[in-house]
Amino acid sequence: MRRGYEPAAADLVAAELGLTVQWVYLAWDDMLTAVAEHRVDAVWCGQGIIPEREAVVDFTDPYAVFDETVLVRKGDPARSRWELNGYRVAAIEGSANMRLAVTFDGAIPVAFTGADVFGDMLAALKRGDVDAMVDDDVVTVPLGDDPAYDVAFTVRTGNRWGVGVAKDNPALRERLNAALAAVVADGRLAAVWADWMPHLAFPLGTPAVQLDEVRA
């Protein structure tokens, strides 16, 4: 059973529509294909809205917006994007995180995919197979308290996460958007966000930020 902000938000939206959620567990790189082929109705799992994915599925309005954080091993001195020359930087293949990783001058992007891609990247970083990894701040920032890792820096990318639906199912997308709008407008989604991620400000309705804005 999934727990956390995403499943809680999904349950909230589904309830608004009079539906229930049935989770289907797939490998990361099979999720969008499963939607396009109608093996599932939608994907609600950390999907940043980027052109490569929009070519496969249509996305709802965002239910979350995150920045992206670079994680290194404990004690590594890197604290900015300009200190990654020669670093092997892990990121999910075809992701918004990889789109960021390839902009780091002198860094060597290393693509990961698979069923547990986040766990695989963390393990590779801990072993020294890579020197850094990039993922959304919601999952990487809490690891700053882990004795194995340090948060190097966060890039304010405003990475929007949406629900992916099949391109030939616009009615579902419209229903999801209407439900999302309702739970945003009355504060219910913000309350779910605060329950699961009190360390991050609820982002919906905030202005867009630029890729090159960096905070330490």
Side-chain angles (χ1 to χ4, degrees):
M1 179 178 178
R2 290 188 71 193
R3 298 184 70 251
Y5 171 72
E6 283 196 291
D11 285 341
L12 183 65
V13 168
E16 179 71 14
L17 294 172
L19 303 173
T20 57
V21 177
Q22 179 181 354
W23 294 107
V24 178
Y25 297 93
L26 300 170
W28 177 266
D29 52 3
D30 190 37
M31 291 181 182
L32 296 183
T33 303
V35 174
E37 295 177 349
H38 296 283
R39 287 185 277 129
V40 296
D41 297 307
V43 55
W44 194 316
C45 185
Q47 296 292 323
I49 303 172
I50 58 175
E52 292 87 343
R53 292 175 181 152
E54 290 179 300
V56 183
V57 299
D58 286 338
F59 283 97
T60 64
D61 296 332
Y63 60 85
V65 182
F66 296 112
D67 295 325
E68 292 167 81
T69 293
V70 173
L71 200 68
V72 294
R73 282 186 296 280
K74 183 65 69 176
D76 190 294
R79 288 297 179 270
S80 77
R81 63 189 302 157
W82 298 282
E83 299 175 82
L84 300 179
N85 186 45
Y87 276 52
R88 297 159 297 173
V89 180
I92 298 172
E93 184 176 16
S95 68
N97 312 132
M98 180 57 78
R99 286 165 64 90
L100 177 62
V102 299
T103 71
F104 297 147
D105 290 343
I108 305 165
V110 180
F112 277 72
T113 189
D116 183 19
V117 64
F118 182 69
D120 291 344
M121 290 195 299
L122 282 177
L125 180 58
K126 182 180 287 189
R127 290 193 305 267
D129 296 341
V130 296
D131 306 300
M133 62 173 280
V134 186
D135 212 314
D136 297 285
D137 56 3
V138 61
V139 291
T140 46
V141 167
L143 289 168
D145 296 326
D146 190 298
Y149 309 105
D150 273 336
V151 170
F153 59 93
T154 296
V155 181
R156 298 184 62 199
T157 54
N159 183 22
R160 300 172 304 136
W161 287 15
V163 184
V165 300
K167 287 184 173 294
D168 59 358
N169 195 3
L172 176 58
R173 180 177 177 273
E174 291 170 6
R175 292 183 68 200
L176 288 169
N177 275 339
L180 275 168
V183 300
V184 169
D186 65 13
R188 282 180 287 164
L189 190 61
V192 169
W193 180 284
D195 283 343
W196 288 100
M197 296 178 292
H199 60 292
L200 296 177
F202 185 64
L204 298 184
T206 57
V209 294
Q210 299 300 313
L211 185 68
D212 58 357
E213 290 181 85
V214 179
R215 67 171 182 264

